[in-house]
Amino acid sequence: MSSAIEVSDLWKIYQNGKQQLPLDDVEKLEQLKESGEIVIAVREVSFNVEPGEVFVVMGLSGSGKSTLIRCLLRLVEPTRGSIIINENDVTSMNQKDLTFFRRQEASMIFQHYGLLPHRTVIDNVAFGLKLKGISKEERYSKAREMLDTVGLQGWEEYYPGSLSGGMRQRVGIARALVADPPVLLMDEPFSGLDPLIRREMQDELVKLQQSMNKTIFFVTHDLDEGMTLGDRMAVMKDGKFVQVGKPEEVLADPADDYVARFVQDKKKQIEMADKERSKKDEELSRNVS
């Protein structure tokens, strides 16, 4: 079976002017970068995501992760590289094909919801189906079903401004899922939420994934979130992947000092929990004796 997402040698460079970029000359690129003539947002990124896998990309602010996810749908045009999603060559599509692809094959969920404030909840969820030419009766039926799935039954006629942040994000998820795309791209969708609501949304996504089995490309800067959701994760720095592996592998065996610093607080948290658990086990054993 083919990978759901295949990315090869992906670059995104922002530049002043339209000079030819020496992508194969590392020294020259670094000179241009140091002079401020270019900004290298994504550099030499290659990876595969398997069908039904949750692939998490982590990194600090400015690491290139949000640019990367936008390149996958060409919301940001890559400078060079290949993007294949469900055997569709995204990088070679014209605008008409790209628009059709975005409506059929992949849905994007953003950090700030992206809801239409002048439309009701149900109209927001059904909007993509309307663009696809589906009848009002059918699209409203599917939208109501999806709102039930994300726990928003009874909120159909409210406007986004009346909803909490967590509820608005549920609307965004429902809107992305209602068209039943095989691939979901999620750009820090929970980072603006309060910690308790954020954890609830993470748990909700885990439950939805168990029933829907989507391929999910998920961007976050939060290690706990990445470990909760990811089947595999990539740690990104300066536009490049510095380590890819299962969350527990990244935690146990960091590839370099950057990754080690990234995971050190989580490792300490686990070590403290293990010590506390051992202490309680020892006390229980003494009491039993």
Side-chain angles (χ1 to χ4, degrees):
M1 181 181 295
S2 300
S3 297
I5 302 174
E6 302 175 48
V7 172
S8 179
D9 193 30
L10 190 68
W11 290 74
K12 177 57 187 178
I13 299 179
Y14 296 97
Q15 63 184 103
N16 297 323
K18 297 182 179 180
Q19 73 268 35
Q20 186 71 28
L21 293 168
L23 296 181
D24 297 317
D25 187 338
V26 175
E27 184 177 345
K28 181 61 176 177
L29 278 177
E30 290 303 319
Q31 290 174 358
L32 292 171
K33 178 182 173 184
E34 290 300 318
S35 68
E37 294 180 63
I38 65 171
V39 174
I40 306 175
V42 177
R43 179 200 295 256
E44 297 179 294
V45 170
S46 299
F47 63 93
N48 288 7
V49 182
E50 300 309 312
E53 182 179 24
V54 180
F55 187 85
V56 173
V57 177
M58 300 187 55
L60 301 177
S61 178
S63 62
K65 57 190 186 300
S66 288
T67 301
L68 172 60
I69 195 173
R70 282 163 169 76
C71 282
L72 297 185
L73 287 184
R74 284 176 53 199
L75 299 173
V76 168
E77 285 290 343
T79 302
R80 186 173 82 176
S82 171
I83 301 167
I84 310 293
I85 299 181
N86 288 337
E87 301 184 349
N88 296 282
D89 186 350
V90 178
T91 37
S92 68
M93 290 179 179
N94 59 35
Q95 194 58 48
K96 180 180 178 181
D97 291 341
L98 185 58
T99 299
F100 180 81
F101 171 81
R102 289 169 179 167
R103 292 176 181 174
Q104 300 290 336
E105 295 291 334
S107 288
M108 187 93 165
I109 301 174
F110 298 95
Q111 176 181 345
H112 297 296
Y113 323 123
L115 303 181
L116 301 170
H118 59 287
R119 293 180 181 267
T120 63
V121 165
I122 194 167
D123 282 332
N124 266 280
V125 174
F127 186 69
L129 300 179
K130 182 179 181 180
L131 293 178
K132 293 169 71 172
I134 294 175
S135 69
K136 184 175 181 179
E137 181 179 357
E138 183 180 353
R139 67 177 183 261
Y140 273 31
S141 175
K142 289 184 175 182
R144 286 193 179 90
E145 181 180 340
M146 193 52 62
L147 284 168
D148 290 350
T149 299
V150 300
L152 286 178
Q153 184 178 19
W155 292 88
E156 293 86 352
E157 301 304 323
Y158 285 79
Y159 287 87
S162 304
L163 276 56
S164 68
M167 294 170 76
R168 289 197 293 272
Q169 195 56 277
R170 287 174 189 265
V171 176
I173 291 173
R175 182 179 59 186
L177 290 173
V178 73
D180 197 27
V183 175
L184 287 178
L185 307 176
M186 308 183 75
D187 185 15
E188 301 204 54
F190 309 142
S191 63
L193 304 177
D194 293 336
L196 180 59
I197 298 174
R198 182 172 186 161
R199 186 53 191 261
E200 289 176 354
M201 293 303 301
Q202 292 166 4
D203 293 342
E204 185 72 27
L205 182 59
V206 170
K207 287 192 292 184
L208 286 170
Q209 176 63 356
Q210 289 171 348
S211 62
M212 295 186 171
N213 197 38
K214 300 293 184 183
T215 301
I216 299 178
F217 186 91
F218 192 102
V219 165
T220 183
H221 64 268
D222 185 278
L223 180 61
D224 285 331
E225 186 166 73
M227 295 194 66
T228 297
L229 300 176
D231 296 311
R232 284 189 302 144
M233 67 165 59
V235 181
M236 200 168 185
K237 178 189 178 187
D238 296 335
K240 298 184 70 172
F241 283 0
V242 293
Q243 186 169 3
V244 180
K246 294 181 179 180
E248 58 271 22
E249 294 171 349
V250 175
L251 185 67
D253 189 20
D256 61 14
D257 289 341
Y258 173 78
V259 181
R261 291 195 301 272
F262 206 95
V263 303
Q264 65 182 356
D265 289 344
K266 184 64 177 179
K267 292 185 75 169
K268 288 179 181 178
Q269 180 183 345
I270 292 174
E271 289 170 0
M272 290 179 63
D274 287 343
K275 288 180 181 179
E276 187 64 26
R277 191 179 303 110
S278 296
K279 182 179 178 181
K280 289 182 179 179
D281 288 344
E282 289 176 4
E283 291 176 352
L284 179 61
S285 179
R286 286 196 298 269
N287 291 336
V288 170
S289 300

